[in-house]
């Protein structure tokens, strides 16, 4: 089963707190298993990957804010 | 297909954004924690009861001219406070906060100094101290001398360094007009959008120690649900045409980039994004998904965003101060007068009609013209000062500065330059109770200061 991985950038000039995501500093990017619809965020990448067999029921790791430039 | 599950109100939100052109909707990107709201659209149906040869009265209901208004109660915190007052009053030019390293100096809050062609206002009183917080119209020089122009403090202050800090002061005055905003109210599954919105009143409401704002709002239009007039057509881009029963221009209030959902009566939803809005007011296009399985009569809604918050700690009653004086400048540096819970203020900037101007040729209000400003201020304190009675009897001028603080430097400051006590400070006695003086002031224009009142918000915002 394919899973989608979305990468967003906080394009506002404010540090933001988003329900279900957490704290995202201004200019920072973060990954989310789910699509996030927010006018302050810009979708910068949509990765589509094949999940390992047998993990369909496995919960996707919680979304984790990542500092800008973090790999 | 219609949603059939119960929805918790807390999943919703209120979002807002200032409109570049009043009445032209934008997509909100600021969100305020909300406690309650009742914003709604009044269709104002005309219930027609003619004499028509029968005993049943109401012959027909005709479409009326709409109004969009209501109230909402939200968190009172620095970063969104300035946006709310921007919807009520006239915003001035932002003043930037600077931290200045000075040679041991004295300066009293409210005093003004100049340097580098800019004017700086002292934010906090210092006495023989070396760090001075000011807000200014521009940057001071890297080092030099601050020269006093008004207020109390050293005539000149030598400084060796300065840096802009993260605080800014937004001044609001009782000028003509206020800014127009788009307000999105989400129920968690759908957005109810009000555009061309302004506030006619802001007043605080304290829930225990926490301050909240009660806001009265009106809007020029609303976009909640529209119906498809036909099956969508085309192939990427696809075209959707809306029914015009509600309004001849059913796309008014939509914005390119809005995320919509087509909810099919037959079942199933299609998520689309608005690519273009036709000038005919009835048609949009999308490129994100094929909506051609929808049919005439299917509903289209705005999909909710995931809200984002850039809020600070709310203003607290325990961090509120009431400073009285014979002038506003003296009040600003006066000793705080502790008041009892039950103090109330409000700032009003009335609309001619909360439902707007019902001019010919449109179902929605053509305008939301405003009338005069007014304000109220009521206090409660234990009775121990006969001077209050003499001020009341002599109809003496008083000034007050109300300061609500948050975190280290953030503040909501209201200045009433000239108050007269409207009701007597005489306490009304009751057995087994303290003697409290509860009285109300009537703010008036002060000819010396050239204003009746102003509002200042110190926050972390660079833009409104």
């Amino acid at each position: 089963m394919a899973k989608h991985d979305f990468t967003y950038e906080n394009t506002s000039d404010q540090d933001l707190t988003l329900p279900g995501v957490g704290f995202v500093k201004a200019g920072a990017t973060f990954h989310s298993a789910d699509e996030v619809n927010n006018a302050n965020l810009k979708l910068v990448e949509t990765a589509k990957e094949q999940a390992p067999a047998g993990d369909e029921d496995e919960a996707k790791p919680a979304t984790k804010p990542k500092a800008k430039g973090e790999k | 297909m219609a949603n059939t599950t119960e929805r918790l109100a807390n999943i919703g939100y209120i979002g807002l954004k200032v409109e570049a052109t009043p009445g032209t909707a934008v997509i909100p990107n600021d969100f305020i924690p909300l406690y309650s709201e009742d914003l709604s659209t009044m269709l104002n149906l005309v219930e027609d009861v003619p004499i028509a040869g029968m005993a049943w009265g109401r012959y027909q209901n005709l479409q009326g001219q709409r109004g969009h208004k209501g109230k909402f109660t939200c968190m009172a915190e620095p970063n969104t406070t300035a946006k709310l007052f921007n919807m009520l009053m006239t915003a001035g030019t932002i003043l930037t906060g600077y931290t200045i390293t000075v040679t041991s100096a004295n300066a009293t809050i409210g005093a003004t100094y100049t340097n580098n062609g800019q004017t700086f206002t002292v934010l906090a009183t210092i006495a023989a101290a070396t760090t001075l917080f000011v807000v200014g119209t521009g940057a001071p020089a890297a080092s030099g001398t601050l020269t006093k122009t008004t207020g109390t403090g050293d005539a000149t202050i030598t400084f060796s360094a300065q840096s802009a800090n993260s605080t800014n002061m937004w001044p609001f005055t009782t000028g003509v007009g206020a800014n127009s905003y788009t307000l999105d109210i989400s129920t968690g599954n759908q957005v109810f959008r009000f555009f061309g919105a302004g506030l006619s009143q802001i007043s605080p409401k304290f829930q225990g120690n926490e301050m909240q704002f009660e806001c009265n709002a009106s809007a020029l239009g609303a976009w909640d649900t529209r119906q498809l007039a036909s099956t969508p057509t085309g192939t990427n881009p696809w075209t959707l045409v809306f029914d015009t029963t509600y309004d001849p221009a059913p796309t008014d209030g939509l914005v390119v980039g809005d995320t919509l959902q087509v909810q099919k009566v037959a079942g199933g939803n299609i998520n689309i994004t608005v690519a273009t809005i036709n000038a005919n007011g009835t048609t949009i296009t999308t490129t994100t998904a094929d909506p051609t399985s929808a049919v005439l009569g299917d509903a289209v809604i705005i999909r909710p965003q995931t809200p984002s918050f850039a809020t600070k700690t709310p203003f607290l009653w325990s961090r509120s101060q009431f400073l009285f004086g014979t002038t506003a400048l003296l009040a600003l540096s006066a000793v705080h007068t502790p008041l009892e819970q039950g103090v109330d203020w409000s700032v009003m900037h009335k609309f001619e009609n909360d439902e707007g101007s019902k001019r010919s040729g449109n179902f929605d209000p053509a305008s939301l013209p405003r009338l005069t400003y007014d304000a109220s201020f009521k206090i409660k304190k234990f009775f121990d000062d006969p001077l209050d009675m003499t001020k009341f009897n002599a109809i003496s001028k008083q000034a007050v500065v109300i300061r609500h603080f948050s975190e280290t430097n953030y503040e909501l400051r209201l200045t009433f330059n000239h108050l007269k006590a409207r009701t007597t400070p005489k306490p009304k006695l009751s057995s087994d109770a303290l003697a409290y003086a509860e009285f109300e002031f009537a703010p008036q224009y002060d000819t010396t200061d050239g204003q009746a009142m102003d509002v200042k918000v110190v926050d972390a915002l660079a833009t409104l």
Side-chain angles (χ1 to χ4, degrees), chain A residues 13-19 36-40, chain B residues 28-29 79 259 304-310 460:
Chain A
D13 61 359
Q14 296 278 311
D15 298 340
L16 301 173
T17 299
L18 288 93
V36 181
N37 178 21
N38 181 284
N40 296 300
Chain B
N29 63 347
N79 277 355
T259 53
Q305 297 188 55
T306 299
S308 56
F309 300 98

Side-chain angles (χ1 to χ4, degrees), chain B residues 87-116:
Chain B
M87 298 175 70
L88 178 76
M89 303 177 70
T90 302
T93 304
I94 185 174
L95 299 172
T96 306
Y98 294 94
T99 304
I100 302 179
T101 303
V102 300
T103 302
S104 182
N106 304 288
T108 300
I109 184 171
T112 57
Y113 287 81
T114 57
N115 175 267
N116 202 28

